[in-house]
Amino acid sequence: MLQYPAIDPIALSLGPLDIHWYGVMYAIGFGLAWWLGRLRARRADTPVSPAQMDDVLLFGAIGVVVGGRVGYALFYSGGDLLADPLSLLRVWEGGMAFHGGLLGVIVMMAWYARRQRIGALALGDFVAPLIPPGLAAGRLGNFINGELWGAPTQWPWGMVYPPLGTEPRHPSQLYELALEGLALFALVWGFSRHPRPTGAITGVFLTGYGLARFAVEFVRLPDAHIGYLMGGWLTMGQLLSLPMVAAGLALLAWAYRHRLSPASN
């Protein structure tokens, strides 16, 4: 059994301003996406130039934050959004949903692609490999915050988190860091190192994330105010991940059937 290290969620205090580790992790995630994007943009088969990465990052960040907040309100907070629409602006109260953030990024990237007159799927293939490092950083932020814990376990790496009692628990944030972050990055980045049919890289990302999230949800506790949706095991995270897997597989099948190059979009 392991003991949760006592980590102060506040990384730095500057007078009345507290800088939280969770915010630092978002900054690291965006910074890694920008750096990796600049590397990818040097290739001849990408629709984005290095100079455009600033705009891509800005549009993506807006999609993550706005989509994440709206997604959390719609998927996880019941009718709170209708009762209190201004709750979306109270970001200091927490509440971000990956699936909402992903939808936000898709909308913003489609808008950017239209403005730049480039193929939306080609842009999606460019952006997809840049996302997993940010997911890894975000899951580390969840771990530091002491949130999104797993169910009790007797596995040797079970971790005791004192606020939840003395039972060791699955450190599900670290599982997600490893699967959604590191393993998915290795898979998608490696797959994207060679030219692929348009849509294939996006398909691999969607399928990989959906499967990783679906698997970890078996040992991650559901949100207390929602619980399990069916049969004592189906969670909201699993329900939202199933369409990702279906869309990813369908996109892969379509990509290899049509085999379009980015230049043909």
Side-chain angles (χ1 to χ4, degrees):
M1 139 184 353
L2 302 175
Q3 190 74 24
Y4 176 77
I7 306 174
D8 189 342
I10 298 175
L12 181 66
S13 292
L14 299 173
L17 176 64
D18 290 334
I19 300 175
H20 290 251
W21 279 113
Y22 195 67
V24 172
M25 292 303 148
Y26 264 76
I28 290 174
F30 289 134
L32 287 172
W34 179 84
W35 177 65
L36 291 170
R38 297 270 298 185
L39 291 179
R40 277 184 62 78
R42 296 174 185 172
R43 291 172 37 167
D45 62 340
T46 63
V48 174
S49 68
Q52 290 176 299
M53 263 310 299
D54 292 347
D55 290 338
V56 170
L57 182 67
L58 175 61
F59 277 72
I62 293 172
V64 167
V65 175
V66 176
R69 287 293 293 165
V70 173
Y72 182 83
L74 293 177
F75 303 144
Y76 292 98
S77 64
D80 292 353
L81 180 60
L82 293 177
D84 183 15
L86 292 180
S87 63
L88 286 176
L89 304 179
R90 295 197 289 272
V91 295
W92 57 88
E93 295 180 356
M96 295 285 285
F98 165 79
H99 296 91
L102 177 63
L103 290 174
V105 170
I106 290 173
V107 170
M108 294 303 295
M109 290 299 100
W111 185 22
Y112 182 77
R114 183 173 181 179
R115 287 184 57 184
Q116 298 298 316
R117 297 183 179 180
I118 58 180
L121 276 180
L123 182 59
D125 286 346
F126 175 83
V127 170
L130 316 182
I131 299 175
L135 298 180
R139 293 311 182 190
L140 182 57
N142 293 143
F143 180 74
I144 292 173
N145 278 354
E147 58 193 7
L148 307 184
W149 280 96
T153 181
Q154 294 304 313
W155 291 3
W157 52 81
M159 187 170 289
V160 175
Y161 179 61
L164 294 181
T166 58
E167 277 189 299
R169 296 179 174 276
H170 286 286
S172 49
Q173 318 95 322
L174 301 184
Y175 297 169
E176 291 181 291
L177 184 158
L179 291 177
E180 303 168 7
L182 303 181
L184 186 60
F185 173 68
L187 172 65
V188 183
W189 186 267
F191 183 75
S192 68
R193 289 183 64 184
H194 303 285
R196 304 292 181 181
T198 300
I201 299 170
T202 304
V204 168
F205 170 78
L206 292 174
T207 304
Y209 178 89
L211 290 175
R213 177 67 180 269
F214 194 91
V216 174
E217 289 280 330
F218 280 111
V219 297
R220 173 178 152 177
L221 289 175
D223 293 73
H225 62 289
I226 296 178
Y228 294 103
L229 303 180
M230 185 181 70
W233 65 272
L234 183 67
T235 67
M236 180 62 76
Q238 288 174 320
L239 183 64
L240 295 173
S241 295
L242 286 175
M244 286 187 66
V245 175
L249 292 174
L251 195 51
L252 275 168
W254 180 88
Y256 278 97
R257 181 177 179 181
H258 294 272
R259 293 184 178 272
L260 300 177
S261 67
S264 65
N265 279 260

